[in-house]
C-alpha cells in the first residue's frame, strides 16, 4: 500500500472511532479522497427509528458535496463488528457515489488478512442509472 492509501486508511480508522452505532454495533468509517487530494471523513450515524440511519460513505460524500466538491478519486471503507471485518458499500451508497463519481472511481477495502483490495465503481455498480441528465 502506498503512502496516500495508508493515510486514507488511517483517516477511515479515525472516522470509524466516531461512528454512532448503538443499535447494530456495526461501526463504519469512510475516508473520501478528492482529485485535488483533500480527504473527507464519514462515519455511520444510526437512529432509534432506524430509517434515518445514514451510512459512513454517504456522510463523507454529502459533507464533501456540501462543501462544493464534485471530483472524487476514491473512498476507503472500514467497518464491521471486528477489526478484520470487510465492509462493502451498500446499494444506496453505490448509487449515491455513482451520481458524482466516474466508472474509474476506486473503492479501497481491507481484507481479513489486513491487505487492502481495490475495486472500481463500475465493478460494484455496473449499469447505474444516470439517464436524467
Ligand atoms: N453501514 C455503513 O455505514 N456502510 C455500509 O456500506 C454498510 C452499512 C452501516 C449502516 C448501519 O449503521 C450499520 O452499518 C449496519 O447496517
Amino acid at each position: 500500500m502506498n503512502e496516500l492509501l495508508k493515510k486514507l486508511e488511517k483517516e477511515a480508522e479515525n472516522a470509524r472511532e466516531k461512528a454512532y452505532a448503538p443499535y447494530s454495533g456495526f461501526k463504519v468509517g469512510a475516508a473520501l479522497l478528492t482529485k485535488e487530494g483533500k480527504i473527507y471523513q464519514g462515519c455511520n450515524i444510526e437512529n432509534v427509528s432506524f430509517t434515518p440511519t445514514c451510512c459512513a460513505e454517504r456522510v463523507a460524500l454529502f459533507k464533501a458535496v456540501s462543501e462544493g466538491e464534485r471530483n472524487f478519486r476514491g473512498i476507503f471503507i472500514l467497518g464491521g463488528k471486528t477489526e478484520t471485518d470487510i465492509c462493502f458499500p451498500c446499494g444506496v451508497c453505490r448509487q449515491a457515489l455513482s451520481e458524482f463519481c466516474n466508472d474509474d472511481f476506486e473503492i479501497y477495502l481491507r481484507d481479513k488478512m489486513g491487505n487492502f483490495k481495490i475495486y472500481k465503481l463500475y465493478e460494484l455498480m455496473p449499469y447505474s442509472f444516470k439517464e436524467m441528465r
Side-chain angles (χ1 to χ4, degrees):
M1 207 189 307
N2 69 29
E3 286 309 308
L4 180 59
L5 285 170
K6 278 190 192 141
K7 180 170 166 49
L8 217 51
E9 182 183 34
K10 206 95 212 93
E11 299 246 2
E13 272 168 6
N14 199 260
R16 189 168 180 259
E17 282 165 22
K18 300 184 188 95
Y20 178 74
Y23 306 105
S24 71
F26 194 96
K27 295 185 168 190
V28 186
L32 177 67
L33 180 67
T34 71
K35 285 194 173 158
E36 293 74 35
K38 202 164 167 193
I39 297 169
Y40 288 84
Q41 291 187 5
C43 63
N44 55 329
I45 304 170
E46 297 188 343
N47 188 277
V48 65
S49 70
F50 295 174
T51 308
T53 292
C54 194
C55 293
E57 298 89 322
R58 269 174 294 143
V59 170
L61 179 67
F62 294 163
K63 278 170 70 179
V65 171
S66 70
E67 293 295 319
E69 302 288 356
R70 292 292 184 272
N71 299 304
F72 302 103
R73 193 169 148 193
I75 189 166
F76 209 119
I77 306 162
L78 292 177
K81 295 201 174 185
T82 72
E83 287 302 315
T84 55
D85 279 348
I86 302 165
C87 183
F88 280 89
C90 79
V92 174
C93 288
R94 292 179 200 200
Q95 180 65 39
L97 288 166
S98 76
E99 180 74 23
F100 296 99
C101 306
N102 298 327
D103 281 350
D104 63 355
F105 177 81
E106 294 180 322
I107 293 150
Y108 313 111
L109 305 174
R110 191 167 66 190
D111 72 17
K112 287 192 174 161
M113 304 301 288
N115 301 311
F116 84 101
K117 190 145 177 54
I118 302 179
Y119 295 89
K120 300 272 189 186
L121 186 59
Y122 72 80
E123 294 180 275
L124 301 188
M125 191 67 183
Y127 308 110
S128 65
F129 178 62
K130 289 183 175 169
E131 298 305 316
M132 286 182 73
R133 281 185 205 153

